Amino acid sequence: MDINFYLYTHNVRGIIMTLEELQIKANEIRQDVVKMLLEAGSGHAAGSLGMADVFTALYFGGVMKHDLTNPYWQDRDRLILSNGHICPLLYATLAHAGFFSLSELASLRKLGSRLQGHPERERLPGIEITSGPLGCGLAQAAGYSYAARIPTSHKDTEGNPRWRLYCVCSDGEHQEGNHWEAVMFAGKNNLSNLTLLVDRNNIQIDGFTEDVMPLEPLKAKYEAFNWSVIEVDGHNIEAVIDAINMAKAIHENPTVIICRTIPGKGVEFMENLPEWHGKSPNLGETIEALNDLRTLSGKILSEHE
Protein backbone atom coordinates (compact mmCIF):
# COMPACT_ATOMS: atom_id res chain seq x y z
CA MET A 1 0.00 0.00 0.00
CA ASP A 2 1.16 3.54 -0.79
CA ILE A 3 2.32 4.94 2.56
CA ASN A 4 1.08 8.47 1.75
CA PHE A 5 -2.40 7.09 1.00
CA TYR A 6 -2.32 5.15 4.26
CA LEU A 7 -1.41 8.28 6.23
CA TYR A 8 -4.09 10.35 4.53
CA THR A 9 -6.86 7.87 5.28
CA HIS A 10 -5.92 6.53 8.68
CA ASN A 11 -4.56 9.44 10.70
CA VAL A 12 -7.65 11.31 11.90
CA ARG A 13 -5.46 14.14 13.14
CA GLY A 14 -4.02 14.67 9.68
CA ILE A 15 -0.49 14.23 8.44
CA ILE A 16 1.88 15.62 11.02
CA MET A 17 4.82 17.12 9.14
CA THR A 18 8.17 18.56 10.10
CA LEU A 19 8.42 22.36 10.19
CA GLU A 20 10.31 22.38 6.89
CA GLU A 21 7.66 20.18 5.29
CA LEU A 22 4.94 22.48 6.59
CA GLN A 23 6.67 25.51 5.08
CA ILE A 24 7.01 23.72 1.74
CA LYS A 25 3.34 22.71 1.86
CA ALA A 26 2.25 26.31 2.51
CA ASN A 27 4.31 27.44 -0.48
CA GLU A 28 2.75 24.74 -2.70
CA ILE A 29 -0.72 25.84 -1.60
CA ARG A 30 0.09 29.46 -2.41
CA GLN A 31 1.24 28.47 -5.89
CA ASP A 32 -2.01 26.60 -6.50
CA VAL A 33 -4.02 29.60 -5.31
CA VAL A 34 -2.27 31.83 -7.86
CA LYS A 35 -2.92 29.32 -10.65
CA MET A 36 -6.58 29.00 -9.64
CA LEU A 37 -7.12 32.75 -9.72
CA LEU A 38 -5.55 33.04 -13.17
CA GLU A 39 -7.74 30.23 -14.49
CA ALA A 40 -10.87 31.78 -12.96
CA GLY A 41 -10.06 35.31 -14.05
CA SER A 42 -11.41 36.62 -10.76
CA GLY A 43 -11.13 36.04 -7.04
CA HIS A 44 -9.35 37.26 -3.94
CA ALA A 45 -5.58 37.05 -3.85
CA ALA A 46 -4.36 38.98 -0.80
CA GLY A 47 -6.14 37.15 2.00
CA SER A 48 -5.84 33.75 0.35
CA LEU A 49 -2.06 34.07 0.17
CA GLY A 50 -1.78 35.74 3.56
CA MET A 51 -3.51 32.97 5.53
CA ALA A 52 -1.80 30.00 3.84
CA ASP A 53 0.52 29.37 6.78
CA VAL A 54 -2.40 29.35 9.24
CA PHE A 55 -4.41 26.89 7.14
CA THR A 56 -1.33 24.69 6.74
CA ALA A 57 -0.96 24.64 10.52
CA LEU A 58 -4.62 23.69 10.96
CA TYR A 59 -4.75 20.86 8.43
CA PHE A 60 -1.18 19.53 8.47
CA GLY A 61 0.12 20.50 11.91
CA GLY A 62 -1.74 17.80 13.84
CA VAL A 63 -4.14 20.16 15.61
CA MET A 64 -7.44 19.43 13.84
CA LYS A 65 -9.18 16.06 13.89
CA HIS A 66 -10.56 14.86 10.56
CA ASP A 67 -11.01 11.55 8.77
CA LEU A 68 -10.86 11.49 4.98
CA THR A 69 -12.65 8.16 4.81
CA ASN A 70 -15.56 9.70 6.73
CA PRO A 71 -15.54 13.49 6.20
CA TYR A 72 -18.80 13.89 8.14
CA TRP A 73 -17.57 11.88 11.12
CA GLN A 74 -19.50 13.09 14.18
CA ASP A 75 -16.41 13.72 16.30
CA ARG A 76 -14.48 15.71 13.68
CA ASP A 77 -13.32 19.22 14.45
CA ARG A 78 -15.23 21.83 12.47
CA LEU A 79 -13.70 24.76 10.58
CA ILE A 80 -16.07 27.66 9.92
CA LEU A 81 -14.78 30.05 7.24
CA SER A 82 -16.49 33.37 7.85
CA ASN A 83 -14.57 35.41 5.25
CA GLY A 84 -15.72 33.12 2.46
CA HIS A 85 -13.99 35.17 -0.23
CA ILE A 86 -10.67 33.50 0.66
CA CYS A 87 -12.15 30.13 -0.28
CA PRO A 88 -9.47 29.58 -2.98
CA LEU A 89 -7.16 28.97 -0.02
CA LEU A 90 -9.63 26.63 1.68
CA TYR A 91 -10.19 24.69 -1.55
CA ALA A 92 -6.45 24.35 -2.22
CA THR A 93 -5.80 23.24 1.37
CA LEU A 94 -8.58 20.65 1.31
CA ALA A 95 -7.31 19.28 -2.03
CA HIS A 96 -3.75 19.01 -0.72
CA ALA A 97 -5.11 17.26 2.38
CA GLY A 98 -6.78 14.68 0.14
CA PHE A 99 -10.47 15.62 0.42
CA PHE A 100 -10.73 15.80 -3.38
CA SER A 101 -8.47 15.82 -6.43
CA LEU A 102 -5.97 18.60 -7.03
CA SER A 103 -7.06 18.64 -10.67
CA GLU A 104 -10.46 20.01 -9.63
CA LEU A 105 -8.86 23.26 -8.44
CA ALA A 106 -8.80 24.47 -12.06
CA SER A 107 -12.60 24.66 -11.99
CA LEU A 108 -12.71 27.58 -9.52
CA ARG A 109 -15.72 29.83 -10.21
CA LYS A 110 -16.66 27.93 -13.37
CA LEU A 111 -20.31 27.33 -14.22
CA GLY A 112 -21.47 24.14 -12.49
CA SER A 113 -18.25 23.78 -10.50
CA ARG A 114 -18.26 22.62 -6.89
CA LEU A 115 -15.68 25.36 -6.25
CA GLN A 116 -17.74 28.53 -6.37
CA GLY A 117 -16.58 32.04 -5.45
CA HIS A 118 -17.89 31.48 -1.94
CA PRO A 119 -18.08 27.99 -0.40
CA GLU A 120 -21.37 26.15 -0.32
CA ARG A 121 -22.15 23.56 2.35
CA GLU A 122 -22.50 19.98 1.07
CA ARG A 123 -20.95 20.82 -2.30
CA LEU A 124 -17.58 19.55 -1.14
CA PRO A 125 -16.41 17.36 1.74
CA GLY A 126 -14.79 19.50 4.40
CA ILE A 127 -17.05 22.53 3.87
CA GLU A 128 -19.07 23.08 7.04
CA ILE A 129 -21.10 26.20 6.18
CA THR A 130 -22.15 28.32 3.24
CA SER A 131 -20.47 31.69 3.67
CA GLY A 132 -20.57 35.00 1.89
CA PRO A 133 -22.10 37.77 4.00
CA LEU A 134 -19.25 39.02 6.16
CA GLY A 135 -19.63 39.08 9.92
CA CYS A 136 -21.83 35.97 10.13
CA GLY A 137 -19.31 33.19 10.64
CA LEU A 138 -18.60 33.66 14.33
CA ALA A 139 -22.33 33.58 15.13
CA GLN A 140 -22.61 30.27 13.29
CA ALA A 141 -19.51 28.90 15.01
CA ALA A 142 -20.80 30.01 18.42
CA GLY A 143 -24.09 28.23 17.73
CA TYR A 144 -22.24 25.03 16.80
CA SER A 145 -20.06 25.39 19.89
CA TYR A 146 -23.05 25.92 22.18
CA ALA A 147 -24.85 22.92 20.67
CA ALA A 148 -21.80 20.75 21.25
CA ARG A 149 -22.14 21.38 24.98
CA ILE A 150 -25.72 20.10 25.13
CA PRO A 151 -25.67 16.68 26.85
CA THR A 152 -25.24 13.96 24.23
CA SER A 153 -23.31 10.74 23.89
CA HIS A 154 -20.52 12.60 22.08
CA LYS A 155 -18.57 13.65 25.15
CA ASP A 156 -15.24 12.61 26.60
CA THR A 157 -14.85 10.97 30.00
CA GLU A 158 -15.01 14.37 31.72
CA GLY A 159 -18.22 15.37 29.95
CA ASN A 160 -16.57 17.80 27.51
CA PRO A 161 -17.40 17.90 23.79
CA ARG A 162 -15.27 15.52 21.76
CA TRP A 163 -14.85 18.07 18.99
CA ARG A 164 -13.82 21.70 18.71
CA LEU A 165 -14.93 24.66 16.61
CA TYR A 166 -12.41 26.72 14.69
CA CYS A 167 -13.65 29.91 13.06
CA VAL A 168 -11.55 31.97 10.65
CA CYS A 169 -12.56 35.58 10.06
CA SER A 170 -11.07 38.75 8.60
CA ASP A 171 -10.25 41.92 10.48
CA GLY A 172 -12.57 43.97 8.25
CA GLU A 173 -15.50 41.85 9.45
CA HIS A 174 -15.13 43.44 12.86
CA GLN A 175 -17.00 46.43 11.43
CA GLU A 176 -20.15 44.27 11.39
CA GLY A 177 -22.38 44.53 14.45
CA ASN A 178 -23.48 40.90 14.39
CA HIS A 179 -19.85 39.82 14.81
CA TRP A 180 -19.73 41.60 18.17
CA GLU A 181 -23.07 40.09 19.18
CA ALA A 182 -21.48 36.68 18.67
CA VAL A 183 -18.39 37.78 20.62
CA MET A 184 -20.65 38.70 23.56
CA PHE A 185 -22.65 35.47 23.30
CA ALA A 186 -19.54 33.27 23.27
CA GLY A 187 -17.96 35.15 26.16
CA LYS A 188 -21.12 35.08 28.25
CA ASN A 189 -21.52 31.31 27.75
CA ASN A 190 -17.83 30.50 28.29
CA LEU A 191 -17.58 28.58 25.01
CA SER A 192 -14.14 27.16 25.66
CA ASN A 193 -14.42 24.68 22.77
CA LEU A 194 -14.42 27.64 20.34
CA THR A 195 -11.24 29.13 18.88
CA LEU A 196 -11.43 32.17 16.61
CA LEU A 197 -8.51 32.91 14.27
CA VAL A 198 -8.49 36.51 13.04
CA ASP A 199 -6.65 37.40 9.83
CA ARG A 200 -5.19 40.71 11.05
CA ASN A 201 -3.75 41.87 7.72
CA ASN A 202 -4.87 45.50 8.13
CA ILE A 203 -6.53 45.80 4.71
CA GLN A 204 -10.02 45.58 3.27
CA ILE A 205 -11.55 46.31 -0.11
CA ASP A 206 -11.73 50.07 0.53
CA GLY A 207 -8.21 50.49 1.92
CA PHE A 208 -6.45 50.06 5.24
CA THR A 209 -8.69 49.07 8.15
CA GLU A 210 -7.32 51.75 10.45
CA ASP A 211 -8.29 54.40 7.89
CA VAL A 212 -11.74 52.96 7.13
CA MET A 213 -12.76 52.06 10.69
CA PRO A 214 -10.01 51.66 13.30
CA LEU A 215 -10.04 48.36 15.20
CA GLU A 216 -7.32 48.87 17.76
CA PRO A 217 -7.00 48.12 20.60
CA LEU A 218 -8.35 44.80 19.32
CA LYS A 219 -6.83 42.63 22.05
CA ALA A 220 -8.36 44.72 24.83
CA LYS A 221 -11.79 44.64 23.19
CA TYR A 222 -11.88 40.82 23.21
CA GLU A 223 -10.61 40.67 26.78
CA ALA A 224 -13.43 43.01 27.81
CA PHE A 225 -15.92 40.43 26.48
CA ASN A 226 -14.41 37.54 28.50
CA TRP A 227 -12.18 36.05 25.80
CA SER A 228 -8.65 34.76 26.19
CA VAL A 229 -6.41 36.44 23.60
CA ILE A 230 -3.25 35.13 21.96
CA GLU A 231 -1.35 37.25 19.45
CA VAL A 232 0.91 35.51 16.97
CA ASP A 233 2.92 35.99 13.79
CA GLY A 234 0.58 34.36 11.28
CA HIS A 235 3.52 33.30 9.11
CA ASN A 236 5.31 31.43 11.89
CA ILE A 237 3.69 28.02 11.48
CA GLU A 238 5.24 26.60 14.63
CA ALA A 239 3.95 29.56 16.66
CA VAL A 240 0.46 29.17 15.18
CA ILE A 241 0.39 25.48 16.13
CA ASP A 242 1.56 26.34 19.65
CA ALA A 243 -1.15 28.99 19.95
CA ILE A 244 -3.88 26.56 18.85
CA ASN A 245 -2.68 23.96 21.34
CA MET A 246 -2.59 26.62 24.05
CA ALA A 247 -6.22 27.48 23.25
CA LYS A 248 -7.16 23.84 23.76
CA ALA A 249 -5.84 24.04 27.30
CA ILE A 250 -8.03 27.03 28.20
CA HIS A 251 -11.26 25.82 29.80
CA GLU A 252 -12.64 29.06 31.24
CA ASN A 253 -13.68 30.94 28.10
CA PRO A 254 -13.36 31.10 24.30
CA THR A 255 -10.03 32.01 22.75
CA VAL A 256 -9.18 34.35 19.91
CA ILE A 257 -5.85 34.03 18.13
CA ILE A 258 -4.99 37.31 16.40
CA CYS A 259 -2.83 36.25 13.47
CA ARG A 260 -0.80 39.18 12.19
CA THR A 261 -0.33 38.48 8.49
CA ILE A 262 0.94 40.14 5.34
CA PRO A 263 -1.73 40.28 2.62
CA GLY A 264 -0.39 38.75 -0.58
CA LYS A 265 2.39 37.03 1.38
CA GLY A 266 5.13 35.56 -0.82
CA VAL A 267 4.40 37.69 -3.88
CA GLU A 268 6.32 40.94 -3.64
CA PHE A 269 4.16 43.07 -5.92
CA MET A 270 1.00 42.06 -4.02
CA GLU A 271 2.18 42.38 -0.43
CA ASN A 272 0.43 44.95 1.78
CA LEU A 273 -1.54 46.50 -1.09
CA PRO A 274 -5.31 46.83 -0.54
CA GLU A 275 -5.89 46.75 -4.31
CA TRP A 276 -5.12 43.01 -4.27
CA HIS A 277 -7.88 42.28 -1.76
CA GLY A 278 -10.31 41.28 -4.51
CA LYS A 279 -8.15 41.03 -7.60
CA SER A 280 -6.76 38.12 -9.63
CA PRO A 281 -3.45 38.20 -11.55
CA ASN A 282 -3.15 38.23 -15.33
CA LEU A 283 -0.79 35.85 -17.12
CA GLY A 284 2.30 38.03 -16.78
CA GLU A 285 1.59 38.69 -13.12
CA THR A 286 1.02 34.99 -12.53
CA ILE A 287 4.40 34.12 -14.02
CA GLU A 288 6.05 36.72 -11.79
CA ALA A 289 4.10 35.56 -8.73
CA LEU A 290 5.00 31.90 -9.26
CA ASN A 291 8.66 32.84 -9.73
CA ASP A 292 8.56 34.75 -6.42
CA LEU A 293 7.04 31.75 -4.65
CA ARG A 294 9.32 29.14 -6.23
CA THR A 295 12.47 31.15 -5.53
CA LEU A 296 11.33 32.75 -2.25
CA SER A 297 11.58 36.17 -3.92
CA GLY A 298 14.97 35.43 -5.43
CA LYS A 299 16.57 33.86 -2.37
CA ILE A 300 16.73 30.52 -4.18
CA LEU A 301 18.34 30.48 -7.63
CA SER A 302 16.35 28.56 -10.22
CA GLU A 303 17.82 25.51 -11.89
CA HIS A 304 18.20 27.57 -15.10
CA GLU A 305 20.50 30.18 -13.54
Side-chain angles (χ1 to χ4, degrees):
M1 176 183 290
D2 184 294
I3 186 62
N4 290 322
F5 177 79
Y6 181 84
L7 287 171
Y8 271 130
T9 56
H10 288 75
N11 187 345
V12 296
R13 292 187 179 273
I15 301 174
I16 302 178
M17 298 179 168
T18 66
L19 179 57
E20 182 179 3
E21 289 170 335
L22 289 168
Q23 293 167 338
I24 292 172
K25 179 57 67 178
N27 189 284
E28 292 173 345
I29 289 171
R30 284 190 172 97
Q31 291 181 46
D32 277 334
V33 165
V34 171
K35 295 174 188 175
M36 292 164 67
L37 294 174
L38 172 67
E39 184 69 27
S42 63
H44 295 73
S48 295
L49 295 173
M51 284 292 280
D53 298 304
V54 174
F55 274 65
T56 299
L58 283 165
Y59 283 91
F60 299 97
V63 293
M64 270 186 62
K65 293 188 301 181
H66 56 265
D67 184 355
L68 299 179
T69 64
N70 183 12
Y72 299 105
W73 171 45
Q74 179 67 36
D75 288 346
R76 72 190 182 279
D77 290 337
R78 275 80 164 166
L79 177 75
I80 305 298
L81 179 63
S82 183
N83 49 333
H85 56 272
I86 70 166
C87 62
L89 170 61
L90 177 58
Y91 296 150
T93 304
L94 290 174
H96 275 267
F99 281 89
F100 57 91
S101 171
L102 286 167
S103 63
E104 193 171 353
L105 295 178
S107 70
L108 176 68
R109 290 182 170 232
K110 299 293 176 62
L111 185 64
S113 169
R114 297 195 297 171
L115 281 62
Q116 288 302 307
H118 287 80
E120 294 184 40
R121 184 174 178 268
E122 297 184 351
R123 278 236 182 186
L124 281 171
I127 304 294
E128 299 290 348
I129 64 163
T130 298
S131 57
L134 293 175
C136 296
L138 183 60
Q140 293 170 292
Y144 270 71
S145 177
Y146 189 81
R149 296 162 61 112
I150 296 173
T152 68
S153 59
H154 297 285
K155 299 289 182 74
D156 62 20
T157 55
E158 297 180 354
N160 299 312
R162 292 185 184 274
W163 47 276
R164 297 186 60 82
L165 261 296
Y166 295 94
C167 180
V168 174
C169 78
S170 64
D171 47 6
E173 287 183 83
H174 288 68
Q175 296 162 13
E176 301 282 352
N178 55 345
H179 177 85
W180 289 105
E181 291 181 46
V183 170
M184 288 189 288
F185 176 85
K188 183 259 184 183
N189 288 286
N190 301 311
L191 300 182
S192 58
N193 58 330
L194 170 62
T195 300
L196 174 65
L197 298 110
V198 176
D199 180 13
R200 187 65 172 116
N201 66 8
N202 298 289
I203 70 163
Q204 58 188 95
I205 199 165
D206 291 330
F208 294 100
T209 58
E210 301 312 286
D211 294 331
V212 178
M213 184 61 70
L215 300 178
E216 297 299 337
L218 192 56
K219 178 176 184 288
K221 289 173 181 175
Y222 274 99
E223 289 175 335
F225 288 119
N226 192 37
W227 284 64
S228 293
V229 182
I230 303 170
E231 295 183 288
V232 68
D233 175 357
H235 302 303
N236 184 330
I237 297 177
E238 188 174 27
V240 173
I241 293 172
D242 286 345
I244 295 170
N245 285 328
M246 189 182 302
K248 292 181 181 180
I250 296 172
H251 300 290
E252 297 77 24
N253 48 20
T255 300
V256 57
I257 301 174
I258 300 175
C259 303
R260 301 201 175 270
T261 67
I262 297 172
K265 174 67 175 176
V267 178
E268 284 196 79
F269 66 85
M270 292 185 186
E271 290 187 352
N272 293 311
L273 294 178
E275 66 190 75
W276 283 101
H277 169 88
K279 182 179 174 182
S280 63
N282 60 32
L283 179 58
E285 291 167 334
T286 297
I287 293 171
E288 184 177 350
L290 291 175
N291 181 67
D292 275 359
L293 291 167
R294 289 167 179 162
T295 66
L296 298 183
S297 298
K299 294 178 183 177
I300 300 173
L301 296 178
S302 76
E303 59 187 11
H304 301 297
E305 295 182 5

